[in-house]
Amino acid sequence: MSKSDIHKLILDNLATSVVMLNGTLTIEYMNPAAEMLLEASSRQLNKKPISAWFSADGAELETLHAALESGHPYTRREARLVTHNGHELTVDYSVNPVPGVGETLLLIEIEARDRLMRIEREEELLSRHATARTLVRGLAHEIKNPLGGIRGAAQLLQRELDNIELHEYTHVIIEEADRLRNLVDRLLGPRKLPKIEDVNIHAILERVCSLVTAETAGAIRLVRDYDPSIPELKADAEQLIQAVLNIMRNSMQAMQGAETVTPQIKIRTRALRQITLGAEKHRLVCCIDIVDNGPGIPDEILNKIFYPMVSGRAQGSGLGLSIAQSIINQHHGLIECRTEPGETCFQLFIPLELKYESVR
């Protein structure tokens, strides 16, 4: 095997995407990793101007031409590229001019950042949620102990009062103490271990859809887009119903009073392969998208919506999404949200190969 063959073999087997451009910014070579990243072969991209797949930014193209002329390398962090199929990617890339025979070539090394950024975002989300849960548990302990004492003292006081009219005040104390205790219990979320069994995710979603239809009297249009190939997963059916219902209720309430032509919630399921949730990689994951056409979530609370007591509505308790995240976390999964005016999507990721022993 010649040296050139060895060099090509090395490039073809690199995990890093490598593209070689000639002096006219036409592709001379792409390794398989680059073809996978850009979702096209070099033959397909040769027929397109570089602005169609590398960058539509004129300043970026001028920088490439400048690198050809000067021979100076440069690096870009978190740049935006567009694939052959129109998907936007966040990447880091380095451009190195390589003197060739008669002309200078540009060697571009591209590293996708989307997956790394998502892992970092998910790890931060899980860390924030765990911190909030620890804080709530500590506060719950400090609140419930004196509440029990207040309630007990009010009951004893009520027995000692001969004037029945004064019982009205002790009733208020007892009822408010019970209300606060129930609020703390809701803040803590599910307190029992999941009852793990084989469940059909579409049966769970249909159960939730029937509840939503009953609650709204059919005022909200429900659109299903199910993947029938998704196998049964090991989970607690009742808890998953509660988590999905909390999210759909959040969508229902967001659309109430909004200027939405026809309030709609779309439920989409897909099976995803080789997905990393936080720091853990899963071979197969069930992804549930719950998409509404409401006004969207304000930017100032978007990063805090899974915290307890955070709500975009004056009358909201701010507990539904926090409880839903806790339930999905117990199943080693995660809930993410993206939003813009007219479309808010909650994505639930639940591993399909969860074993009973591994449930936290």
Side-chain angles (χ1 to χ4, degrees):
M1 183 179 292
S2 66
K3 285 187 177 180
S4 61
D5 290 335
I6 293 174
H7 293 161
K8 185 177 185 304
L9 184 63
I10 292 172
L11 289 172
D12 285 346
N13 286 277
L14 282 178
T16 303
S17 301
V18 176
V19 180
M20 182 73 80
L21 303 179
N22 61 24
T24 62
L25 300 185
T26 302
I27 295 173
E28 289 285 335
Y29 168 79
M30 285 176 66
N31 71 346
E35 292 181 339
M36 290 181 63
L37 179 69
L38 299 173
E39 300 176 350
S41 66
S42 58
R43 181 176 298 178
Q44 289 174 301
L45 296 183
N46 261 331
K47 301 174 183 177
K48 291 192 171 188
I50 189 170
S51 59
W53 63 269
F54 182 73
S55 175
D57 186 347
E60 290 283 343
L61 300 182
E62 287 179 11
T63 307
L64 282 177
H65 283 292
L68 275 172
E69 294 175 3
S70 67
H72 292 159
Y74 69 93
T75 299
R76 288 282 186 270
R77 301 294 183 192
E78 296 188 7
R80 305 296 293 176
L81 297 188
V82 180
T83 71
H84 177 66
N85 294 326
H87 299 146
E88 285 195 358
L89 301 175
T90 302
V91 301
D92 293 342
Y93 69 87
S94 297
V95 177
N96 289 283
V98 179
V101 179
E103 65 176 343
T104 298
L105 304 175
L106 290 182
L107 179 67
I108 305 178
E109 300 173 65
I110 307 172
E111 183 177 359
R113 289 283 301 161
D114 295 85
R115 183 180 177 187
L116 293 175
M117 292 171 64
R118 178 178 172 182
I119 290 172
E120 291 170 359
R121 185 175 67 247
E122 289 173 351
E123 287 181 336
E124 182 184 0
L125 178 60
L126 290 170
S127 176
R128 290 203 310 260
H129 189 69
T131 301
R133 296 281 300 160
T134 301
L135 177 62
V136 167
R137 286 193 183 100
L139 285 174
H141 178 74
E142 296 299 323
I143 292 172
K144 292 183 78 172
N145 284 343
L147 275 181
I150 293 170
R151 190 182 193 283
Q155 288 176 317
L156 291 174
L157 179 61
Q158 182 172 286
R159 293 173 189 169
E160 297 297 324
L161 291 174
D162 295 328
N163 187 345
I164 301 298
E165 293 181 357
L166 296 178
H167 286 191
E168 176 184 350
Y169 302 108
T170 55
H171 279 311
V172 170
I173 296 172
I174 293 170
E175 288 172 359
E176 289 302 298
D178 288 342
R179 187 177 67 84
L180 286 173
R181 183 194 62 200
N182 292 336
L183 175 61
V184 170
D185 286 340
R186 290 179 63 202
L187 276 169
L188 290 172
R191 302 176 63 184
K192 62 180 182 179
L193 289 174
K195 181 183 177 183
I196 301 299
E197 56 188 355
D198 290 333
V199 298
N200 185 309
I201 191 61
H202 298 126
I204 287 173
L205 295 176
E206 284 303 303
R207 172 63 176 162
V208 174
C209 286
S210 66
L211 293 172
V212 170
T213 300
E215 288 184 18
T216 62
I220 293 180
R221 180 171 176 247
L222 300 177
V223 179
R224 284 92 158 167
D225 181 8
Y226 294 162
D227 179 356
S229 68
I230 296 178
E232 290 189 336
L233 56 94
K234 291 187 178 295
D236 185 313
E238 291 301 319
Q239 287 193 10
L240 286 189
I241 288 173
Q242 184 64 58
V244 176
L245 184 59
N246 284 2
I247 292 173
M248 292 189 67
R249 278 180 176 153
N250 187 79
S251 296
M252 290 160 45
Q253 293 160 357
M255 289 187 288
Q256 287 177 355
E259 296 181 359
T260 303
V261 178
T262 303
Q264 174 181 292
I265 299 176
K266 184 173 183 178
I267 308 101
R268 178 172 53 240
T269 61
R270 294 292 184 270
L272 306 179
R273 297 183 182 277
Q274 305 300 333
I275 296 296
T276 301
L277 300 178
E280 189 174 355
K281 188 172 183 179
H282 301 275
R283 193 177 68 86
L284 197 61
V285 168
C286 172
C287 176
I288 306 164
D289 290 349
I290 299 174
V291 187
D292 69 65
N293 61 347
I297 299 171
D299 291 339
E300 59 268 21
I301 68 168
L302 179 59
N303 292 328
K304 301 179 286 187
I305 56 174
F306 294 111
Y307 284 166
M309 311 302 291
V310 174
S311 175
R313 297 176 297 109
Q315 69 275 24
S317 67
L319 295 177
L321 294 179
S322 175
I323 291 171
Q325 186 72 275
S326 294
I327 290 172
I328 300 303
N329 285 168
Q330 281 189 314
H331 291 79
H332 285 195
L334 185 70
I335 304 176
E336 291 188 341
C337 176
R338 64 175 187 271
T339 183
E340 61 184 37
E343 181 176 297
T344 297
C345 176
F346 284 90
Q347 284 190 305
L348 288 73
F349 299 94
I350 308 172
L352 282 166
E353 297 180 330
L354 183 65
K355 295 183 179 179
Y356 177 76
E357 292 80 10
S358 64
V359 176
R360 292 192 288 263

